[in-house]
Amino acid sequence: MINIDQIRADTPAASRLAYLHNAGAALMPTPVVTAMKGHIDLESEIGGYAAADHESDRLEAVYGSVARLLNAAPDEIALMENATIAWQMAFYALPFRKGDRILTAEAEYAANYVAFLQAAKRTGAIIDVVPSDASGELDVHALERMIDERVKLIAITWVPTNGGLVNPAAAVGKIARAHGIPYLLDACQAVGQMEVDVEAVGCDMLSATGRKFLRGPRGTGFLYVRRPLLQQLEPPMIDHFAAPWVSRDAYQLRDDARRFETWENNYAARLGLGVAVDYALAIGLDPIEQRCRLLADRLRNGLAAIRGVTIRDLGRAPGAIISFTMDGYEAKAIVSSAAAAGITIGASDPASTRIDAEVRALPPVVRASPHYYNTEADIDRLIGHIGGLAPL
């Protein structure tokens, strides 16, 4: 169902690299790069303001593209500089008081958890970590038991940064919805790798980036906020775009999710993001997810068969991030060795998911993340390289 030849033609670097670092920053397809360069050229010819006016329809269409990607409405979408700012704008808009509880998962990402800590320090809110079940996924039964009237937010990372775990986001959504608790979902590693339907998942807020599996440019991200909650939230920071100055002593927040945006933006990057979303939608997220899992399973199984390699992934149905360690080698050394052989992979430090790392006594792990534009030969190339490092 996927035209690999055409997709790889749109990804020139794939012909010389086994690029398996899509959980970090994926290779952008040529149409994304072309859109961005074209807008920069236009800005150089007629100026930034005129260029934005000239491309206003295409820029406006990006909201619709992201909305289709998420099964949301365009007015529920804000385009942001990155996923961290998207997440922060949602989180810091929520009011917390002393004794309020924030429920999160063991594999929560560091950027989010330090924000919980700051909110707890400022307000007296309490952070409660939901334990994992035997598979390593967030235990939804434990989550249900932890619900009381003091829980004011459930916030989890869907696909953690340090491995293949896919948390049960939709099951969490059912619990949150049943109890009327706001639900903030970090979908950075999910968007572009799998289907993301905010209605099916049941989240109230979702943040994501453009640079990972979505194959968009760095410096792009987006925020989804469900319309009924949107009207209750005032962003922690505003400008005259988010909230027009309607009289000397008053401002009025926009009615849509753009109340979380600011006036100045990188329009070339926004156009690139829109093209990346449209590119993924044209292929289809279901075929993308199937191929990602196929390649990930091949890599995971191949690495597991190598002497001295330990796969560190969790979950019943791991996604397209494979984390592993190898006896006698530090993660950074493996990454460097692979790079010298034309294979691009990454590493994940325990500090990025500290609670999970401490629970499992994880060292820095190697992280390989195939995508649909990779071939079986790319996968086997990494397996062969790691096998060559193994002791005889």
Side-chain angles (χ1 to χ4, degrees):
M1 297 177 66
I2 293 180
N3 186 339
I4 296 297
D5 291 339
Q6 179 59 58
I7 287 166
R8 286 178 69 81
D10 286 342
T11 314
S15 64
R16 58 181 177 83
L17 288 174
Y19 192 89
L20 302 167
H21 195 21
N22 298 284
L27 296 175
M28 293 183 290
T30 298
V32 171
V33 177
T34 300
M36 295 175 66
K37 287 181 176 178
H39 192 76
I40 291 171
D41 288 342
L42 186 62
E43 287 187 341
S44 72
E45 293 168 0
I46 63 175
Y49 282 18
D53 289 342
H54 187 273
E55 297 295 337
S56 60
D57 289 345
R58 292 177 64 205
L59 289 163
E60 183 68 24
V62 179
Y63 292 93
S65 295
V66 174
R68 287 192 296 277
L69 181 72
L70 304 181
N71 188 28
D75 66 347
E76 296 175 312
I77 303 299
L79 301 179
M80 314 297 290
E81 296 91 330
N82 55 63
T84 300
I85 290 177
W87 189 96
Q88 289 172 338
M89 289 296 280
F91 175 73
Y92 285 105
L94 297 166
F96 294 105
R97 295 180 296 180
K98 185 175 182 178
D100 288 348
R101 298 172 64 209
I102 300 168
L103 301 187
T104 190
E106 286 185 348
E108 190 63 10
Y109 187 53
N112 304 344
Y113 205 93
V114 296
F116 300 152
L117 291 171
Q118 187 181 58
K121 181 179 179 181
R122 288 177 173 177
T123 69
I126 299 167
I127 310 164
D128 285 325
V129 179
V130 181
S132 301
D133 63 18
S135 76
E137 297 175 6
L138 177 143
D139 188 331
V140 293
H141 301 294
L143 172 63
E144 183 73 64
R145 292 192 296 269
M146 293 173 72
I147 300 294
D148 64 20
E149 70 282 353
R150 294 181 300 139
V151 176
K152 302 303 180 184
L153 176 67
I154 299 172
I156 69 166
T157 296
W158 192 349
V159 179
T161 189
N162 66 332
L165 174 65
V166 179
N167 270 316
V172 172
K174 288 181 180 178
I175 293 171
R177 192 68 58 83
H179 293 277
I181 300 169
Y183 175 25
L184 171 56
L185 184 61
D186 180 333
C188 276
Q189 300 286 14
V191 167
Q193 179 190 164
M194 60 185 67
E195 287 200 57
V196 177
D197 183 333
V198 292
E199 290 299 322
V201 170
C203 57
D204 297 291
M205 300 161 284
L206 178 147
S207 61
T209 184
R211 67 180 160 87
K212 295 180 184 289
F213 288 94
L214 197 53
R215 303 185 67 191
R218 294 194 72 175
T220 60
F222 51 84
L223 172 67
Y224 156 80
V225 183
R226 188 182 301 276
R227 191 180 293 110
L229 179 62
L230 174 65
Q231 301 305 320
Q232 303 173 35
L233 299 181
E234 176 149 341
M237 296 171 287
I238 56 174
D239 73 355
H240 60 300
F241 175 83
W245 193 11
V246 294
S247 68
R248 175 169 294 205
D249 298 318
Y251 62 85
Q252 183 173 328
L253 286 169
R254 292 180 61 112
D255 290 334
D256 56 16
R258 297 185 212 189
R259 64 174 58 186
F260 293 99
E261 296 183 14
T262 55
W263 184 82
E264 181 57 34
N265 296 287
N266 184 337
Y267 289 108
R270 281 195 172 188
L271 287 172
L273 174 66
V275 173
V277 172
D278 292 341
Y279 194 92
L281 289 171
I283 296 170
L285 272 300
D286 183 59
I288 287 174
E289 181 174 354
Q290 290 183 40
R291 182 159 179 82
C292 284
R293 288 187 180 275
L294 178 72
L295 294 173
D297 288 346
R298 184 185 185 99
L299 179 54
R300 195 173 282 115
N301 293 335
L303 291 172
I306 298 172
R307 182 183 174 189
V309 170
T310 301
I311 301 298
R312 301 291 187 164
D313 298 334
L314 300 174
R316 294 174 179 83
I321 303 177
I322 298 88
S323 59
F324 66 96
T325 54
M326 187 172 189
D327 295 345
Y329 290 89
E330 293 186 354
K332 289 184 178 179
I334 294 175
V335 173
S336 296
S337 172
I343 305 166
T344 305
I345 54 178
S348 181
D349 190 84
S352 65
T353 49
R354 182 169 294 281
I355 293 175
D356 177 54
E358 290 178 356
V359 168
R360 296 198 282 149
L362 287 178
V365 298
V366 183
R367 188 178 70 169
S369 43
H371 210 352
Y372 63 86
Y373 60 77
N374 289 119
T375 63
E376 286 77 2
D378 291 336
I379 302 302
D380 295 343
R381 189 171 163 187
L382 177 58
I383 294 170
H385 179 78
I386 300 300
L389 301 177
L392 298 176

